[in-house]
Amino acid sequence: MDALHPRLLVSGFADCFRFYDAVLPRLIGAVRASGSESGPYAHWDVDGQGVLVLFDRGAMAAVTGAAGLPAEAPPAQDRSMFVCRVADVDASLALCLAHGAAHVAGACDRPEWGPGLRTAHVRDPDGCLIELQSY
Protein backbone atom coordinates (compact mmCIF):
# COMPACT_ATOMS: atom_id res chain seq x y z
CA MET A 1 0.00 0.00 0.00
CA ASP A 2 1.26 3.46 -0.90
CA ALA A 3 0.77 5.38 2.33
CA LEU A 4 2.20 8.71 1.15
CA HIS A 5 3.58 9.97 -2.11
CA PRO A 6 3.69 13.31 -3.88
CA ARG A 7 1.33 13.97 -6.77
CA LEU A 8 2.56 16.84 -8.90
CA LEU A 9 -0.14 18.69 -10.81
CA VAL A 10 1.59 19.82 -14.00
CA SER A 11 0.62 21.95 -16.99
CA GLY A 12 3.30 20.58 -19.31
CA PHE A 13 2.55 16.89 -18.80
CA ALA A 14 4.57 15.50 -21.73
CA ASP A 15 7.71 17.50 -20.87
CA CYS A 16 7.50 16.54 -17.19
CA PHE A 17 6.83 12.89 -18.05
CA ARG A 18 9.94 12.72 -20.27
CA PHE A 19 12.05 14.41 -17.58
CA TYR A 20 11.01 12.16 -14.69
CA ASP A 21 11.00 9.03 -16.82
CA ALA A 22 14.62 9.78 -17.76
CA VAL A 23 15.97 10.75 -14.32
CA LEU A 24 14.04 8.82 -11.65
CA PRO A 25 15.50 5.38 -12.48
CA ARG A 26 19.07 6.66 -12.07
CA LEU A 27 18.36 9.06 -9.19
CA ILE A 28 16.41 6.79 -6.86
CA GLY A 29 15.89 3.47 -8.65
CA ALA A 30 12.26 4.22 -9.50
CA VAL A 31 10.47 2.36 -12.28
CA ARG A 32 7.43 3.61 -14.17
CA ALA A 33 4.44 1.60 -12.99
CA SER A 34 1.86 3.17 -15.27
CA GLY A 35 1.22 6.02 -17.65
CA SER A 36 2.66 7.45 -20.82
CA GLU A 37 3.72 10.76 -22.30
CA SER A 38 0.15 11.37 -23.49
CA GLY A 39 -1.08 11.59 -19.86
CA PRO A 40 -3.06 12.58 -17.95
CA TYR A 41 -1.56 10.27 -15.27
CA ALA A 42 1.72 8.47 -14.66
CA HIS A 43 3.42 7.06 -11.59
CA TRP A 44 6.78 5.65 -10.55
CA ASP A 45 7.52 3.14 -7.77
CA VAL A 46 10.52 1.93 -5.79
CA ASP A 47 10.14 -1.64 -4.52
CA GLY A 48 6.41 -1.55 -5.22
CA GLN A 49 5.82 1.65 -3.25
CA GLY A 50 4.71 4.84 -4.98
CA VAL A 51 7.30 7.62 -4.98
CA LEU A 52 5.90 10.08 -7.51
CA VAL A 53 2.70 10.66 -9.46
CA LEU A 54 2.22 13.16 -12.27
CA PHE A 55 -1.29 14.34 -13.04
CA ASP A 56 -2.45 16.88 -15.60
CA ARG A 57 -3.30 20.14 -13.82
CA GLY A 58 -6.21 20.92 -16.14
CA ALA A 59 -7.77 17.51 -15.56
CA MET A 60 -7.60 17.99 -11.78
CA ALA A 61 -8.99 21.53 -12.07
CA ALA A 62 -12.00 20.14 -13.93
CA VAL A 63 -12.63 17.66 -11.09
CA THR A 64 -12.27 20.21 -8.30
CA GLY A 65 -14.23 22.99 -10.01
CA ALA A 66 -11.17 25.21 -10.35
CA ALA A 67 -11.02 25.22 -14.16
CA GLY A 68 -12.10 28.88 -14.28
CA LEU A 69 -9.25 30.04 -12.04
CA PRO A 70 -5.84 31.15 -13.36
CA ALA A 71 -3.45 28.26 -13.98
CA GLU A 72 -0.42 30.27 -12.90
CA ALA A 73 0.08 32.35 -9.76
CA PRO A 74 2.16 35.52 -9.64
CA PRO A 75 5.80 34.89 -8.77
CA ALA A 76 6.11 33.82 -5.15
CA GLN A 77 8.25 31.68 -2.90
CA ASP A 78 7.90 27.92 -3.32
CA ARG A 79 5.28 26.13 -1.22
CA SER A 80 6.50 22.59 -1.80
CA MET A 81 9.55 20.68 -2.96
CA PHE A 82 10.21 17.16 -4.23
CA VAL A 83 13.21 15.77 -2.30
CA CYS A 84 15.33 12.92 -3.66
CA ARG A 85 17.97 11.27 -1.51
CA VAL A 86 20.72 10.32 -3.95
CA ALA A 87 24.11 8.63 -3.74
CA ASP A 88 26.00 11.43 -5.54
CA VAL A 89 24.58 14.97 -5.55
CA ASP A 90 27.00 16.27 -8.18
CA ALA A 91 26.31 13.42 -10.64
CA SER A 92 22.56 13.68 -9.98
CA LEU A 93 22.64 17.41 -10.65
CA ALA A 94 24.43 16.81 -13.95
CA LEU A 95 21.87 14.14 -14.89
CA CYS A 96 18.91 16.42 -14.19
CA LEU A 97 20.45 19.33 -16.09
CA ALA A 98 21.19 17.05 -19.07
CA HIS A 99 17.49 16.15 -19.20
CA GLY A 100 16.12 19.69 -19.14
CA ALA A 101 16.01 20.73 -15.49
CA ALA A 102 16.64 24.41 -14.73
CA HIS A 103 19.57 25.11 -12.42
CA VAL A 104 18.59 26.76 -9.11
CA ALA A 105 21.45 26.17 -6.64
CA GLY A 106 24.65 24.25 -7.21
CA ALA A 107 25.90 21.33 -5.18
CA CYS A 108 27.27 22.33 -1.79
CA ASP A 109 27.76 21.00 1.71
CA ARG A 110 25.21 22.22 4.25
CA PRO A 111 26.54 21.35 7.72
CA GLU A 112 24.12 23.87 9.27
CA TRP A 113 21.23 21.65 8.04
CA GLY A 114 22.73 18.40 9.31
CA PRO A 115 25.98 16.45 9.59
CA GLY A 116 27.29 15.37 6.20
CA LEU A 117 24.37 16.90 4.30
CA ARG A 118 25.05 17.91 0.68
CA THR A 119 22.37 19.40 -1.57
CA ALA A 120 21.66 20.84 -5.00
CA HIS A 121 18.42 22.34 -6.31
CA VAL A 122 16.81 22.30 -9.76
CA ARG A 123 13.37 22.90 -11.27
CA ASP A 124 11.58 20.34 -13.39
CA PRO A 125 10.15 21.42 -16.79
CA ASP A 126 6.98 22.65 -15.07
CA GLY A 127 8.89 24.69 -12.45
CA CYS A 128 8.58 22.34 -9.45
CA LEU A 129 11.52 22.73 -7.06
CA ILE A 130 13.58 19.55 -6.58
CA GLU A 131 16.19 19.03 -3.89
CA LEU A 132 18.90 16.45 -4.51
CA GLN A 133 20.45 15.45 -1.20
CA SER A 134 22.91 13.04 0.30
CA TYR A 135 24.01 12.53 3.90
Side-chain angles (χ1 to χ4, degrees):
M1 176 173 92
D2 300 332
L4 298 171
H5 58 269
R7 179 173 293 191
L8 302 180
L9 304 177
V10 299
S11 295
F13 189 91
D15 289 339
C16 286
F17 175 88
R18 286 189 299 270
F19 173 75
Y20 285 109
D21 207 46
V23 303
L24 285 176
R26 290 177 54 194
L27 286 179
I28 59 173
V31 295
R32 182 170 16 108
S34 71
S36 69
E37 186 176 325
S38 62
Y41 177 92
H43 81 272
W44 290 262
D45 292 352
V46 172
D47 297 329
Q49 295 295 306
V51 294
L52 179 67
V53 173
L54 291 183
F55 197 75
D56 181 78
R57 182 179 294 169
M60 182 56 68
V63 168
T64 63
L69 298 175
E72 300 298 325
Q77 295 178 3
D78 294 286
R79 296 188 66 161
S80 62
M81 174 172 65
F82 181 51
V83 178
C84 295
R85 186 172 179 188
V86 298
D88 183 330
V89 170
D90 298 81
S92 297
L93 174 61
L95 173 68
C96 289
L97 293 174
H99 286 282
H103 185 271
V104 174
C108 68
D109 295 328
R110 297 200 182 273
E112 68 279 14
W113 290 6
L117 186 63
R118 184 168 180 77
T119 68
H121 295 85
V122 298
R123 292 193 184 279
D124 75 10
D126 215 57
C128 179
L129 184 61
I130 301 170
E131 180 175 280
L132 307 168
Q133 65 169 236
S134 66
Y135 53 91

